[in-house]
Amino acid sequence: MIRVRGLVKEFPGGVRAVDGVDFEVPKGSLVTLLGPSGCGKTTSLRCIAGLEDPTGGTIEIGDRVVFDAAKKVLLPPNKRRIGMVFQSYAIWPHMTVFDNVAYPLRNTKTNKAEIKDRVMASLELVGLAALAPRRAPNLSGGQQQRVALARALVAEPEVLLLDEPLSNLDAKLRESMRQEIREIQQRLGITTLYVTHDQVEALAISDIVAVMSGGNIVDFGSPQRIYEAPRTRFVAEFIGLANVVPVSKVAAAPSDDMLRGVAPMGPMTFANNDTGQAVADEASVLVRLEDIELSRERPADQDNVWRGTVVSALFLGTHFDCVIEVGGQRMRAHAQRAAKLKAGDEVWVRVPAGCALRLRDDGAPVAAGSSAAADADDSATATTPLLGLAP
Amino acid sequence: MTIVENAPPAQTEEATPSAGRPSRVPRFVRRIVKADPKYWIFAVVTAVLVYEILVPLVMMVWSSLNEKRPGNPEFFDSESLTFGNYSRAVTGTAGEAALNTAIFAIGVTVVSFLLGGFLAWVVERTNTPLRKLLTALCLLRLFIPGVMTTFAWILLGSPEIGLVNKFFDSVIPGVDGPIFNVYTMWGMIWVESLDVIPLAFLLMSAALRSTDPSLEEASLMAGKGRLITTFRITFPLILPAMLAAVILILIRGFETFEVPALIGMQAGIFTFVIEIYLNTNGVPSDTGLAGVYAVAVLAVCACLIWFYNRMTRNADSFATIGGKAFRPKRANLGRGRWVTLAISLVIMLASVGLPLLVMIWSSLSPAYKPMQPFTAEGFSNLSLDNYRLVLDNPTTVRAFMNSAVLAAAAAVLIVFLISIVAWITVKTKIRGRKLLDHLAFAPIAIPAVTMGVAFLWFYLSVPIPVYGTLWILLLLYIARFTPVVMRLLSASMTQIDDELMEASVITGASWWRSFRTVALPLLRPGMVAGGIFVVIHAFRELSASLFVQTGGNEVVGVTMWSLWADGSYALLTAFGIMVLIVITVLSLAANLIGSRFGIRE
Ligand SMILES: Nc1ncnc2c1ncn2[C@@H]1O[C@H](COP(=O)(O)OP(=O)(O)OP(=O)(O)O)[C@@H](O)[C@H]1O
Ligand SMILES: [Mg+2]
């Protein structure tokens, strides 16, 4: 278990790379720190590892306090019983694969035969037993990655930390390695903190995803929850592809769970978020691309159905990636390959009410795309015909 | 923040004793005792460097302000302090010596920088043939002791017997009498410049090599010609490195001893360094005056190093120095490449070829006729007698053994000490590491002669019995060769990725184990280079050793100096050639071993 409370790291010169981070990695689970470049992921991880001295807060690993600013406790990294995989792998080039992996055991009281057994077991685990006598520089990127993992695991550390372990690999290898890492993690049941800026990787590998932005954690939950019901607009736009639609004149319909309002396309029904936020006059509504249904014929449903024009349709193999203009609002959507859409086609657009979600807009950091959203807001007020609310 | 060995368990947070609780043991003592071992090492290393560098320096300044000489029981009384030495120097010959020193140093800098810079450009940036040979010759020149090359040029350029003069006299009709006189300021500048060319060459080729060629290509793409690119892009890019090189060469000009001693004293051209030598070793000696001159040279060099530090700090803001190995574009000179080759070969002939030839010739000639002309009769006189004499002479043999022991010991100790310093300054965040960095680099500003005098006086006046033994030379060499090794090792240390070290600490390895098993092996190429540097320079060191050596602890450089002073020229050249061969073989072997076991260059 790793427990981090109020972690602050300020670099000389006043840069607050980590600004009061709280989270917990439950025993045996894999938590991902996900966020854009420069948001403080690496710094947080290095604070936990002890490679960076935090400015404030507390860190516990297992049942030990390894850092407490108020009580002046700071355990050096070599006393923390951590396994770590570095972004550059940090395989020592002057040793063989075997020596690299054996290194963590050599300063313990382990005898030679046991070292050999455990190193080979660890190499077996990552599928590299045959390469044990090889010199480290003669390994491919993926093999170095496995050696780094074997070395991190060989001493059976309390927790495993990984800093963007797959970012130096090519796309294919990345996919198979992340599956492998996940399998090994689950087999050993080791508490793991994983840093990445790749949202697909984070969703695929984690029990829990912690989304970071500007030195803070802005969302924390299961991959599915984070994807389907992101807390903030930033999270929604960072994870997956999203349309964010501005809606005005919001009212409960009929209960607080479902809301109704006026979107640029016309009247819209959508789900309220579950944070107990009161109903306000304005709202931002998230519609995931893959939830939008397009059809040539008017659907039978009446709710959330609008007519639009295809602005562009990009063929991506499995589907079309289209931009549709609906009542002045541009929306991105995926269309089936069979639909054979092309620019200028008229289509019907339907969004199932359950798939449109109100986002929290308050105080949360909003990253790239906010100015485009503001533009959309302007055009919306100018072009939306004032249709009456239909309660 | 206290570093605790065992963290309290989370459940017993309340029971943890608060750090502020009063206790009989003072807080800082507890802190020191519990401190990370790397603070201990930091303290020890700092103490060693302070003792080696600061203490003798303070001693020298004290002497310059003192009526009494070091060793005199009243030397440490504050009553004997005076500015008298300084006013005596100013009213005496200081003005003339200052002028001579300045002309000499600046002249050497201009000539050697132009020639060395030209060679560097030829080797790094043009398609001139035989570039490898030119580099090898430059390196070979580094191995030849300064007494030898200076003496060789006396044989070549003295007005009566100089071979160059004789050659032109007989070959070119109309030339009558000497066309080149080594016993002039110009002669001195010429001979010293030839000695400094390898340094200028190495500094400038490093600068040229580390310039990212894409910066120049970008200018070419922008439609600018090669000439404009050279002047508008290449030149400004390497300007800081060039100025830094100029400063290092200038310091060399101020502190050099061999040429002013062998040629300048004869010609009546006295520089500061010679004044220091004469006032220390001459009869009667005048330690006060010598101290003043030593302080003066030190002050000038310290100012220059201050500029150097500023220059190299600014150099970082240019994208010139990178870990990446660039492959700079070479200019295609067409036919012109034969011209550049010819010029380069002429420079190398003057710097390496002729001196070496003369030395070999003289070493094989009869001892009573070391400067016999190159005639058929001369050839028939050649023999290995001088070499036999060198091997039979107890002084030369002892000097060689002493130098070998000193070179090996100094190389091992410096490389070990500086590996730790480089680790601390580059890879840790210990407060005060900047101080350590400056301390290890400071001796570069201390002229060899000043350092020799400072060591002499310090160990004459304190009851540490090293004077007259090899130990004082060892201490001296450590202080003297530390800065360059510091540069080499901190550069290698910077290239080692931080994560390699962190990966070791994370596995539970102690600080010391991480240093030993990860940092040191990866540092090996830099350590080998540093070791070779120390060995080569320890063998040819003269200007500092001259002051602290006595009968019994002779070293190679000083023995050559004595052989010259005694007029045993044939012995001198034979000894020199033998030393040269040994150094060359040693460093080739070390390089081979280093690259065999090193990870990369
Ligand atoms: N040693 C340092 N000194 C000053 N600022 C630093 C230092 N290290 C990191 N920072 C700053 O702290 C912030 C967070 O850095 P960090 O390396 O944690 O980002 P990250 O989330 O890991 O980004 P990336 O995905 O690019 O690796 C950045 O703004 C960075 O510039
Ligand atoms: Mg990072």
Side-chain angles (χ1 to χ4, degrees):
Chain A
M1 180 214 60
I2 305 172
R3 187 179 292 143
V4 175
R5 291 275 165 266
L7 185 69
V8 175
K9 172 65 192 178
E10 191 173 320
F11 283 110
V15 183
R16 275 203 164 209
V18 178
D19 196 5
V21 158
D22 288 282
F23 67 88
E24 199 167 306
V25 184
K27 193 167 168 48
S29 61
L30 191 156
V31 172
T32 309
L33 283 181
L34 172 67
S37 186
C39 69
K41 308 179 295 284
T42 298
T43 308
S44 305
L45 197 78
R46 289 171 59 84
C47 285
I48 293 169
L51 298 171
E52 212 74 70
D53 295 352
T55 318
T58 64
I59 301 172
E60 286 168 38
I61 296 177
D63 56 0
R64 296 184 304 162
V65 179
V66 297
F67 170 73
D68 188 332
K71 296 209 174 69
K72 300 200 182 249
V73 174
L74 178 65
L75 204 64
N78 51 349
K79 299 267 159 59
R80 293 193 181 186
R81 294 209 298 274
I82 282 173
M84 185 159 172
V85 176
F86 291 83
Q87 191 167 357
S88 67
Y89 313 143
I91 300 297
W92 299 304
H94 57 298
M95 299 181 190
T96 61
V97 168
F98 183 91
D99 287 335
N100 263 282
V101 178
Y103 190 89
L105 299 175
R106 290 245 160 92
N107 48 343
T108 57
K109 300 262 173 323
T110 326
N111 68 38
K112 274 225 168 85
E114 195 189 336
I115 288 182
K116 180 141 199 277
D117 290 347
R118 284 174 66 179
V119 170
M120 290 321 285
S122 190
L123 283 172
E124 205 81 60
L125 190 69
V126 297
L128 275 190
L131 296 187
R134 193 81 82 81
R135 278 176 63 80
N138 311 336
L139 294 178
S140 72
Q143 288 166 337
Q144 292 197 20
Q145 169 68 70
R146 286 162 206 258
V147 175
L149 190 61
R151 182 177 66 190
L153 292 172
V154 74
E156 291 165 11
E158 201 147 347
V159 298
L160 178 64
L161 307 179
L162 304 109
D163 187 3
E164 309 214 12
L166 306 180
S167 61
N168 289 338
L169 304 180
D170 66 67
K172 275 257 162 58
L173 195 53
R174 206 150 51 206
E175 228 164 275
S176 63
M177 271 309 291
R178 89 179 170 224
Q179 243 161 39
E180 215 167 306
I181 289 179
R182 176 61 162 163
E183 266 168 33
I184 291 171
Q185 186 268 331
Q186 284 181 327
R187 190 157 5 132
L188 302 179
I190 186 168
T191 311
T192 304
L193 184 59
Y194 187 105
V195 162
T196 180
H197 62 250
D198 180 340
Q199 19 101 13
V200 178
E201 197 172 299
L203 296 177
I205 206 173
S206 326
D207 293 310
I208 299 171
V209 178
V211 184
M212 279 190 85
S213 164
N216 289 293
I217 290 193
V218 290
D219 207 349
F220 187 85
S222 71
Q224 198 164 357
R225 212 283 281 136
I226 295 271
Y227 187 82
E228 287 176 346
R231 284 276 145 74
T232 70
R233 176 171 187 156
F234 168 79
V235 178
E237 285 177 339
F238 186 70
I239 296 177
L241 301 166
N243 293 298
V244 178
V245 181
V247 180
S248 55
K249 304 197 175 157
V250 178
S255 68
D256 265 4
D257 290 349
M258 294 305 283
L259 304 175
R260 256 182 100 68
V262 181
M265 309 83 82
M268 187 172 181
T269 310
F270 52 93
N272 196 0
N273 60 38
D274 59 356
T275 56
Q277 200 185 9
V279 176
D281 194 39
E282 309 261 320
S284 295
V285 174
L286 163 72
V287 181
R288 292 269 178 218
L289 270 60
E290 63 276 12
D291 290 336
I292 297 180
E293 293 168 10
L294 300 176
S295 55
R296 303 239 184 221
E297 313 295 312
R298 187 186 172 106
D301 232 323
Q302 292 302 309
D303 254 3
N304 292 359
V305 172
W306 312 284
R307 191 151 176 77
T309 315
V310 177
V311 176
S312 68
L314 219 60
F315 181 60
L316 294 184
T318 53
H319 60 270
F320 283 95
D321 190 342
C322 327
V323 176
I324 319 253
E325 185 158 329
V326 195
Q329 170 80 27
R330 288 191 168 204
M331 297 184 84
R332 268 178 80 185
H334 288 170
Q336 285 174 345
R337 210 168 48 200
K340 296 209 168 59
L341 288 179
K342 56 183 191 299
D345 287 357
E346 299 264 304
V347 287
W348 289 97
V349 177
R350 175 175 174 267
V351 177
C355 296
L357 180 83
R358 176 189 176 200
L359 294 170
R360 284 183 77 101
D361 250 346
D362 49 334
V366 176
S370 57
S371 67
D375 290 347
D377 273 350
D378 288 344
S379 63
T381 40
T383 55
T384 310
L386 281 175
L387 298 180
L389 272 175
Chain B
M1 177 109 356
T2 320
I3 313 283
V4 292
E5 292 297 299
N6 293 302
Q11 303 88 292
T12 60
E13 269 169 10
E14 273 68 24
T16 319
S18 102
R21 208 174 61 169
S23 153
R24 229 171 288 147
V25 189
R27 187 115 155 244
F28 74 91
V29 173
R30 272 187 293 149
R31 226 193 250 196
I32 289 171
V33 172
K34 271 204 247 167
D36 195 307
K38 75 180 158 218
Y39 292 95
W40 282 101
I41 294 179
F42 176 72
V44 170
V45 168
T46 310
V48 168
L49 288 178
V50 166
Y51 173 76
E52 271 289 277
I53 293 151
L54 280 190
V55 172
L57 270 194
V58 170
M59 187 71 194
M60 187 199 64
V61 174
W62 180 270
S63 277
S64 76
L65 290 166
N66 211 306
E67 292 178 334
K68 302 282 185 291
R69 48 178 54 249
N72 188 311
E74 288 163 51
F75 178 69
F76 286 110
D77 288 352
S78 55
E79 279 116 68
S80 62
L81 286 188
T82 164
F83 276 107
N85 297 325
Y86 284 84
S87 50
R88 266 191 314 132
V90 172
T91 53
T93 53
E96 198 195 324
L99 189 67
N100 284 337
T101 310
I103 295 176
F104 177 65
I106 293 171
V108 167
T109 307
V110 171
V111 175
S112 64
F113 182 79
L114 288 180
L115 296 184
F118 172 78
L119 285 175
W121 173 75
V122 165
V123 167
E124 296 295 335
R125 288 305 177 87
T126 70
N127 64 341
T128 306
L130 299 181
R131 296 188 297 264
K132 282 239 165 64
L133 174 73
L134 293 175
T135 309
L137 285 176
C138 266
L139 292 178
L140 179 66
R141 183 59 161 82
L142 278 180
F143 299 170
I144 311 178
V147 177
M148 302 265 306
T149 49
T150 311
F151 176 63
W153 262 97
I154 292 176
L155 295 184
L156 284 166
S158 77
E160 300 87 33
I161 56 157
L163 292 173
V164 170
N165 289 326
K166 282 192 182 161
F167 176 75
F168 282 109
D169 210 5
S170 57
V171 170
I172 303 176
V175 174
D176 229 3
I179 62 158
F180 176 76
N181 183 359
V182 78
Y183 292 113
T184 57
M185 179 56 94
W186 285 111
M188 286 169 67
I189 289 176
W190 171 246
V191 176
E192 179 64 26
S193 298
L194 293 177
D195 204 36
V196 185
I197 282 176
L199 175 69
F201 169 79
L202 289 179
L203 291 170
M204 286 312 296
S205 47
L208 285 172
R209 211 179 309 136
S210 55
T211 311
D212 186 345
S214 65
L215 297 172
E216 290 166 304
E217 282 159 9
S219 163
L220 293 175
M221 291 297 118
K224 302 284 183 265
R226 211 163 252 295
L227 202 65
I228 295 183
T229 301
T230 303
F231 276 91
R232 299 271 297 276
I233 307 290
T234 316
F235 199 70
L237 271 176
I238 63 169
L239 190 62
M242 261 168 62
L243 290 176
V246 165
I247 288 176
L248 290 182
I249 298 170
L250 205 50
I251 289 179
R252 183 62 195 273
F254 277 112
E255 68 165 357
T256 187
F257 177 76
E258 287 87 344
V259 170
L262 267 65
I263 301 176
M265 279 208 283
Q266 185 98 353
I269 300 169
F270 291 85
T271 60
F272 272 148
V273 165
I274 295 307
E275 296 283 356
I276 296 170
Y277 170 69
L278 291 178
N279 281 307
T280 317
N281 281 17
V283 185
S285 70
D286 187 338
T287 57
L289 215 49
V292 172
Y293 286 121
V295 170
V297 185
L298 175 67
V300 172
C301 292
C303 289
L304 287 172
I305 278 300
W306 182 77
F307 274 114
Y308 173 86
N309 277 338
R310 285 191 50 141
M311 215 70 77
T312 46
R313 198 171 53 223
N314 289 345
D316 292 345
S317 66
F318 289 82
T320 51
I321 314 295
K324 265 185 250 160
F326 299 122
R327 195 167 285 276
K329 256 211 152 48
R330 294 184 184 280
N332 187 347
L333 297 180
R335 292 258 177 76
R337 70 185 193 275
W338 300 109
V339 177
T340 50
L341 176 66
I343 299 175
S344 308
L345 285 179
V346 167
I347 298 174
M348 293 327 292
L349 186 70
S351 173
V352 186
L354 284 181
L356 214 52
L357 194 68
V358 169
M359 283 186 291
I360 294 173
W361 178 258
S362 161
S363 74
L364 295 170
S365 297
Y368 57 88
K369 227 169 141 190
M371 286 160 264
Q372 61 169 346
F374 288 97
T375 56
E377 194 209 334
F379 273 101
S380 69
N381 284 338
L382 298 186
S383 75
L384 287 172
D385 286 348
N386 294 320
Y387 290 87
R388 227 164 280 138
L389 282 178
V390 169
L391 292 175
D392 287 341
N393 185 327
T395 314
T396 46
V397 173
R398 193 166 57 229
F400 184 83
M401 295 313 287
N402 283 345
S403 276
V405 169
L406 278 172
V412 170
L413 288 175
I414 294 176
V415 167
F416 180 73
L417 182 78
I418 298 305
S419 306
I420 299 179
V421 175
W423 155 280
I424 290 176
T425 54
V426 176
K427 293 293 180 202
T428 70
K429 301 194 181 94
I430 295 182
R431 233 177 292 157
R433 64 185 190 281
K434 275 271 173 308
L435 176 84
L436 202 58
D437 196 7
H438 288 308
L439 206 53
F441 194 57
I444 196 116
I446 308 174
V449 176
T450 302
M451 184 116 51
V453 170
F455 270 69
L456 170 70
W457 291 345
F458 178 63
Y459 291 104
L460 275 182
S461 31
V462 296
I464 302 173
V466 296
Y467 182 70
T469 68
L470 283 184
W471 292 105
I472 190 168
L473 284 157
L474 181 61
L475 290 169
L476 182 65
Y477 288 3
I478 290 177
R480 195 139 146 55
F481 303 131
T482 290
V484 175
V485 178
M486 176 71 193
R487 270 294 129 104
L488 281 171
L489 286 188
S490 53
S492 316
M493 191 62 97
T494 313
Q495 284 182 354
I496 300 175
D497 193 345
D498 283 351
E499 290 193 346
L500 287 174
M501 245 62 111
E502 289 169 356
S504 169
V505 173
I506 278 290
T507 65
S510 66
W511 177 87
W512 176 239
R513 182 166 182 250
S514 306
F515 177 66
R516 209 162 31 83
T517 54
V518 177
L520 278 188
L522 292 176
L523 209 55
R524 185 148 45 202
M527 291 167 75
V528 169
I532 294 179
F533 173 88
V534 173
V535 168
I536 291 171
H537 285 79
F539 261 104
R540 55 173 290 175
E541 182 3 268
L542 164 64
S543 30
S545 321
L546 190 58
F547 294 90
V548 298
Q549 86 124 37
T550 46
N553 63 352
E554 299 93 343
V555 287
V556 165
V558 185
T559 303
M560 286 189 187
W561 164 260
S562 317
L563 288 175
W564 177 79
D566 297 345
S568 320
Y569 300 138
L571 214 54
L572 164 65
T573 46
F575 189 36
I577 295 289
M578 288 167 92
V579 170
L580 176 61
I581 291 172
V582 171
I583 301 181
T584 311
V585 169
L586 269 184
S587 38
L588 286 182
N591 224 338
L592 213 65
I593 295 168
S595 59
R596 166 90 46 88
F597 293 109
I599 304 307
R600 50 182 178 227
E601 276 296 315

